[in-house]
Amino acid sequence: MIRLFVPGDLKAGGEVVPSADQAHYLTTVMRLGLDDELRVFNGRDGEWRARLAEVGKRGRRLRIEARTRAQSAGPDLDLIVALVKRPRLETIIEKAAELGARRVRPVVTERSNVPRANPARLTAIAVEAAEQTGRLDVPCIHDPERLDRLVGAWTGERRLMFCDEAGGAAPVLTALGEASGQSWSILIGPEGGFSPRERALVRGLPGALPVSLGPRILRADTAAICALGLWQAMLGDWRGA
Ligand code: SAH
């Protein structure tokens, strides 16, 4: 079943206009015709059954029929990730969406060798991944901020799973097995790692939980995927209802 994210409000009897890309996808790629069925969601109103109400060169409309699922969201899980080169960052965004992160917060660190990201492009990747997974919310992709700022604003209301390859951190399953808390952030550093100063700052934050992901140094994308999966399995919605 095709699922599309549409930003507009969804209600029975309503209509939405898909973007040009979505219309192309529906009619040319997926070959949907008039009255064919799909699902739509907007991150607020749940998932709805919709039908193609108009196809043609200029006209394109979806008719909204009935709600098929109530709105839901996964656990309160952030991924804080240092800016890394674009292909890896895009992989991280896609996988974070698949693995149920609620937000992704890119950070600039001392050793980040990439100064900026394109939040609109990253959001488009998150939307596409959300459509494919069946989740009804789309992870919020924040604008990049400096790690120092994030650390300075840290209130300690969330737990912080600090993926720390530099030695001395507990094995991840041991650490998470003894941990609790509803709201979590996972922190992954850049390819060059955190500076000693940053590492000390992060380790000193209230709620910080340094964890090791094993004896090998992982690339940032691998580390992010492992950390998200392990967290979901130990503390998140992989545990079942
Ligand atoms: N400092 C490293 C590279 C960092 S790898 C170097 O020698 O170049 C990128 C990020 O992935 C790290 O900052 C850390 O957050 C995470 N990471 C990689 N391997 C890890 C491991 N074995 N345990 C915990 N975190 C790891």
Side-chain angles (χ1 to χ4, degrees):
M1 181 58 70
I2 298 170
R3 301 177 74 252
L4 282 189
F5 175 83
V6 292
D9 289 339
L10 296 172
K11 56 178 192 298
E15 277 186 354
V16 295
V17 177
S19 70
D21 282 352
Q22 288 176 327
H24 172 80
Y25 170 75
L26 291 176
T27 54
T28 309
V29 181
M30 301 309 290
R31 305 202 160 277
L32 254 55
L34 199 62
D35 281 335
D36 281 349
E37 189 179 319
L38 67 149
R39 298 275 188 270
V40 293
F41 66 108
N42 62 5
R44 307 183 298 277
D45 299 324
E47 184 184 70
W48 290 73
R49 188 175 69 230
R51 283 182 203 280
L52 223 54
E54 189 180 325
V55 281
K57 274 247 174 313
R58 300 210 318 277
R60 45 173 201 269
R61 282 182 301 124
L62 305 179
R63 195 171 53 244
I64 310 304
E65 291 189 341
R67 187 146 78 171
T68 48
R69 285 198 291 154
Q71 183 62 36
S72 61
D76 183 6
L77 177 63
D78 282 0
L79 176 67
I80 305 171
V81 62
L83 284 180
V84 291
K85 288 213 184 74
R86 203 177 80 179
R88 274 187 215 287
L89 186 63
E90 293 185 356
T91 301
I92 291 171
I93 300 291
E94 180 183 278
K95 301 312 168 197
E98 289 177 34
L99 291 164
R102 194 178 286 185
R103 300 170 209 88
V104 181
R105 305 179 63 175
V107 286
V108 179
T109 68
E110 283 179 26
R111 295 179 185 166
S112 305
N113 44 5
V114 182
R116 64 183 74 80
N118 178 347
R121 161 102 185 118
L122 297 179
T123 296
I125 291 170
V127 165
E128 212 170 285
E131 287 171 340
Q132 180 259 321
T133 61
R135 65 185 280 178
L136 294 184
D137 60 330
V138 173
C140 178
I141 313 296
H142 289 232
D143 287 336
E145 63 186 317
R146 298 205 65 83
L147 179 69
D148 284 352
R149 246 190 90 146
L150 187 141
V151 163
W154 191 259
T155 60
E157 279 158 24
R158 311 178 66 82
R159 298 294 320 264
L160 181 67
M161 174 177 167
F162 171 36
C163 297
D164 184 8
E165 80 289 0
V172 58
L173 290 190
T174 310
L176 291 183
E178 290 163 0
S180 57
Q182 292 295 314
S183 301
W184 281 78
S185 300
I186 293 173
L187 175 62
I188 304 286
E191 297 297 345
F194 290 105
S195 73
R197 184 190 70 86
E198 288 171 330
R199 189 164 170 258
L201 268 180
V202 169
R203 279 184 160 250
L205 289 176
L209 180 70
V211 307
S212 162
L213 299 173
R216 286 164 295 274
I217 306 274
L218 308 175
R219 294 280 204 169
D221 48 353
T222 317
I225 293 165
C226 291
L228 287 161
L230 290 161
W231 187 90
Q232 286 287 26
M234 288 297 284
L235 296 172
D237 61 13
W238 290 9
R239 292 174 302 168

